[in-house]
Amino acid sequence: MLPGPAGCRCACAAGWGVLSAAFTTRNSRPNIVLLMADDLGVGDICCYGNNTVSTPNIDRLASEGVRLTQHLAAASVCTPSRAAFLTGRYPIRTGMASSFNLNRGLTWLGGSGGLPTNETTFAKLLQHRGYRTGLIGKWHLGLSCASRDDHCYHPLNHGFDYFYGLPFGLLNDCQTSKTAELHRWLRIKLWISTAVLGLVPLLLLIPKFAHWFSVPWKVIIAFALLAFVFFIVWYSSYGFTRRWNCILMRNHEIIQQPMREDRVGSLMLKEALAFIDRYKRSPFLLFVSFLHVHTPLITKEKFVGHSKYGLYGDNVEEMDWMVGRILETLDRELLTNHTLVYFTSDNGGRLEVQEGEAQLGGYNGVYKGGQGMGGWEGGIRVPGIFRWPTVLEAGKVIDEPTSLMDIYPTLSYIGGGILPQDRIIDGRNLMPLLEGRVSHSEHEFLFHYCGVYLHTARWHQKDCATVWKVHYVTPNFSPDGAGACYGSGICSCSGDVTYHDPPLLFDISRDPSEARPLNPDNEVLFDSVVKKVEAAIKEHRRTLTPVPQQFSVFNTLWKPWLQPCCGTFPFCGCDKEYDILSTAW
């Protein structure tokens, strides 16, 4: 009988990692720069195996720091993943997980859902320790609760001293020349419904004027009013998505509504560099949340045609250049050795985004699936690179399971913060692993949700390299035989899914692309592994407590009284940002 509850496939060497004396000195209270891409596939950058794309600056971070090869998002879509990143907690614990397929992330700035005000972000922890904290770029974790200007979910109410960027995020809707992205299929149905309702009063006029039978004018007018009201109700939100959602803010002030998408990248870079210059003499936390590489792939002209992979590749390479500008600033200000830099993505690349023959979404390498696909590896495995010269060994690669939730306790540790004791923190401090003081991740089990539904669980056997994945639910790809949900644009968490009993089992330490499901006939440990994982799920669920659901139907509806507005509602619009900063490019 193999050792352990389910046996252990391999014999692993135990013991502490030995760290070279050159890396034993740790700076106290370093500066921290966090770089997060939007929907970047793990296979989109050179240091993760793509030798046909040029990402020299991200590669430099990897060669000068530590690269994690099994780094995992807590959700396969943006809003819940970012909530988990900031709080170190599974999204289901904070109410930031959806029970609806339609609204997997926050959909309106004029909605009433967001990251709860009683959650403590890593920014707030470090702010209390004297750090100057800034967020440049995408937020997408809500804005207001009860009135237009209460800004209860605003970054400044979650520990950031300075905010410049998009309180929502980037959408195709932000560019007038692009096909609408937000609830595209719902909009089509709404247009059809409007047309049908509008035809009813017209059809009722036919028998009236043909003298077939009498139709009272009150009935005809009532149907006409019904069609008109129905149209106004939905078009007042969806018809003005660019104006309502595509907003640029500085702190609490709207400075562009709608934003000028062609300038936003240069303005964000300028703000990031200015923040470093402003606080270079005191410990700072700078979170740069890139708009790259989300559609509509807004790319400066100098990078268009720069890559081998069309506009998506151009956008990746432009983002890498922006990373380079930030690293150059740290070098110039002599901050490099005293700054921890971390690079990642909020989730895997989106496979369904296409324009004709062109692929406008990311490449997830050998991993199955992509953004929005629950537990498939391609939607949750993301880049994870840490650089901290004199502390972390250059060029080190770690293949242990780690999570975006780990950033929370890791930053608390290095910044001298104190973790909240009144709640469960699911992340683990990565410093012992990054420094080589331990050789294994503290995560034995990780749970992969799709909205509020648990699709998959991962078991990393202690003192062993084997990592099992157990899938209880998987999305149905469309069309049949495809590797994504091209028919619907994004995969479902419930409804159009397959429930597996017995569950699908993979050994991803040997089969990372999840191509060879195991069963009792070809894996002697099948039953014991499944029992072990089911016991862990049962224990995990005992730790969950009811919380207000931020993605409830009411919270996700657009509310005119919550809509941020520069000017007098509904005549919202302004452009207070005049500095084009051509020198930044």
Side-chain angles (χ1 to χ4, degrees):
M1 180 67 182
L2 293 172
C8 190
R9 181 192 296 282
C10 52
C12 300
W16 296 89
V18 179
L19 198 62
S20 166
F23 300 96
T24 56
T25 301
R26 172 137 50 96
N27 299 334
S28 61
R29 291 166 56 78
N31 302 312
I32 300 165
V33 176
L34 308 175
L35 308 172
M36 177 176 278
D38 193 358
D39 292 359
L40 179 73
V42 72
D44 282 330
I45 49 182
C46 186
C47 59
Y48 279 89
N50 190 336
N51 57 13
T52 60
V53 67
S54 178
T55 53
N57 298 295
I58 299 172
D59 298 342
R60 174 193 166 191
L61 282 176
S63 66
E64 295 177 357
V66 179
R67 181 167 61 90
L68 306 177
T69 62
Q70 199 176 160
H71 201 42
L72 303 161
S76 60
V77 291
C78 167
T79 299
S81 174
R82 290 168 183 262
F85 174 69
L86 282 161
T87 63
R89 288 153 54 80
Y90 285 111
I92 197 165
R93 295 195 193 278
T94 60
M96 296 294 284
S98 175
S99 58
F100 306 100
N101 290 320
L102 183 64
N103 296 319
R104 302 269 297 279
L106 296 175
T107 51
W108 297 106
L109 270 181
S112 53
L115 185 63
T117 55
N118 63 346
E119 289 296 325
T120 303
T121 67
F122 57 66
K124 187 166 288 186
L125 286 181
L126 295 179
Q127 188 182 54
H128 291 163
R129 296 298 299 163
Y131 274 76
R132 302 310 300 263
T133 57
L135 168 60
I136 308 297
K138 175 178 176 176
W139 175 239
H140 206 178
L141 291 170
L143 191 60
S144 296
C145 295
S147 64
R148 179 170 292 125
D149 298 319
D150 68 27
H151 291 180
C152 63
Y153 305 125
H154 192 282
L156 268 60
N157 283 337
H158 276 299
F160 291 98
D161 297 311
Y162 183 74
F163 170 62
Y164 183 95
L166 280 64
F168 191 76
L170 199 56
L171 294 168
N172 269 349
D173 306 72
C174 295
Q175 204 165 28
T176 53
S177 60
K178 298 292 184 181
T179 302
E181 176 181 350
L182 181 65
H183 296 164
R184 179 184 174 192
W185 295 109
L186 175 61
R187 287 197 220 190
I188 292 173
K189 293 176 182 178
L190 290 170
W191 273 116
I192 293 172
S193 300
T194 302
V196 170
L197 285 173
L199 281 173
V200 171
L202 295 178
L203 291 174
L204 290 175
L205 289 173
I206 295 174
K208 184 174 183 67
F209 287 114
H211 303 291
W212 296 340
F213 55 86
S214 177
V215 179
W217 280 108
K218 288 182 179 180
V219 173
I220 297 173
I221 293 171
F223 274 107
L225 283 174
L226 177 65
F228 178 74
V229 170
F230 177 79
F231 172 73
I232 292 298
V233 166
W234 73 262
Y235 194 79
S236 61
S237 56
Y238 287 109
F240 301 91
T241 304
R242 180 170 182 260
R243 188 166 297 275
W244 297 156
N245 279 352
C246 305
I247 290 174
L248 185 64
M249 296 183 76
R250 176 183 284 111
N251 295 327
H252 290 289
E253 181 186 15
I254 299 173
I255 57 176
Q256 284 184 353
Q257 185 178 17
M259 71 172 187
R260 292 183 54 179
E261 68 278 359
D262 58 320
R263 294 170 52 189
V264 69
S266 58
L267 294 171
M268 280 177 49
L269 178 60
K270 168 218 169 183
E271 291 288 338
L273 302 184
F275 185 89
I276 295 173
D277 181 67
R278 193 156 60 241
Y279 298 116
K280 60 188 175 185
R281 291 180 178 83
S282 58
F284 64 80
L285 164 71
L286 172 60
F287 177 18
V288 181
S289 180
F290 291 106
L291 306 182
H292 301 64
V293 285
H294 198 289
T295 51
L297 302 175
I298 297 168
T299 308
K300 297 296 286 185
E301 187 176 351
K302 67 180 285 187
F303 287 96
V304 174
H306 200 262
S307 77
K308 298 178 181 179
Y309 295 106
L311 189 58
Y312 183 85
D314 298 341
N315 205 242
V316 171
E317 295 191 5
E318 181 185 44
M319 177 185 65
D320 179 81
W321 175 82
M322 295 173 75
V323 171
R325 288 295 307 275
I326 293 169
L327 298 183
E328 287 171 10
T329 300
L330 295 175
D331 290 341
R332 186 177 63 252
E333 301 294 346
L334 304 179
L335 298 173
T336 299
N337 287 346
H338 194 59
T339 302
L340 170 68
V341 180
Y342 167 73
F343 178 85
T344 192
S345 176
D346 57 354
N347 47 252
R350 186 175 177 189
L351 304 181
E352 293 91 351
V353 188
Q354 296 177 316
E355 192 172 84
E357 296 293 319
Q359 176 70 26
L360 300 183
Y363 171 58
N364 297 314
V366 302
Y367 306 110
K368 185 172 184 176
Q371 186 222 38
M373 296 189 194
W376 287 125
E377 204 74 357
I380 53 179
R381 193 177 288 221
V382 295
I385 302 171
F386 289 84
R387 188 192 73 172
W388 188 359
T390 75
V391 174
L392 303 182
E393 181 181 352
K396 186 174 183 177
V397 178
I398 295 175
D399 193 32
E400 295 286 300
T402 56
S403 170
L404 263 65
M405 295 184 293
D406 297 337
I407 304 308
Y408 186 93
T410 302
L411 297 189
S412 175
Y413 174 76
I414 66 175
I418 300 174
L419 291 177
Q421 301 300 306
D422 61 344
R423 65 200 65 190
I424 292 175
I425 302 298
D426 297 296
R428 299 291 183 265
N429 177 18
L430 289 178
M431 284 308 294
L433 184 65
L434 295 173
E435 292 180 293
R437 292 186 275 124
V438 300
S439 56
H440 292 293
S441 165
E442 286 189 42
H443 289 291
E444 184 178 7
F445 297 97
L446 285 165
F447 306 99
H448 305 303
Y449 284 85
C450 190
V452 298
Y453 307 101
L454 181 65
H455 275 202
T456 307
R458 179 184 313 251
W459 178 30
H460 180 216
Q461 287 187 256
K462 290 181 178 179
D463 303 319
C464 182
T466 303
V467 180
W468 306 98
K469 271 186 77 179
V470 181
H471 289 266
Y472 297 94
V473 186
T474 55
N476 294 330
F477 293 156
S478 61
D480 290 340
C485 299
Y486 296 103
S488 59
I490 188 169
C491 290
S492 297
C493 292
S494 62
D496 190 17
V497 297
T498 298
Y499 296 90
H500 301 282
D501 186 13
L504 297 178
L505 176 66
F506 297 94
D507 175 1
I508 61 167
S509 48
R510 295 189 177 191
D511 178 24
S513 46
E514 299 174 279
R516 300 185 298 275
L518 304 173
N519 57 63
D521 296 329
N522 61 19
E523 177 51 67
V524 67
L525 300 176
F526 182 93
D527 290 332
S528 53
V529 168
V530 170
K531 286 180 182 177
K532 178 74 173 179
V533 171
E534 286 178 349
I537 292 172
K538 188 175 181 180
E539 182 61 31
H540 164 68
R541 283 179 168 154
R542 272 201 287 262
T543 69
L544 301 178
T545 56
V547 291
Q549 295 302 301
Q550 302 301 319
F551 293 87
S552 68
V553 173
F554 177 77
N555 281 341
T556 54
L557 288 175
W558 180 73
K559 304 171 182 65
W561 62 91
L562 294 185
Q563 176 59 50
C565 181
C566 184
T568 302
F569 185 85
F571 306 104
C572 308
C574 62
D575 185 353
K576 302 176 185 178
E577 184 62 82
Y578 298 107
D579 190 359
I580 300 177
L581 283 175
S582 58
T583 56
W585 295 83

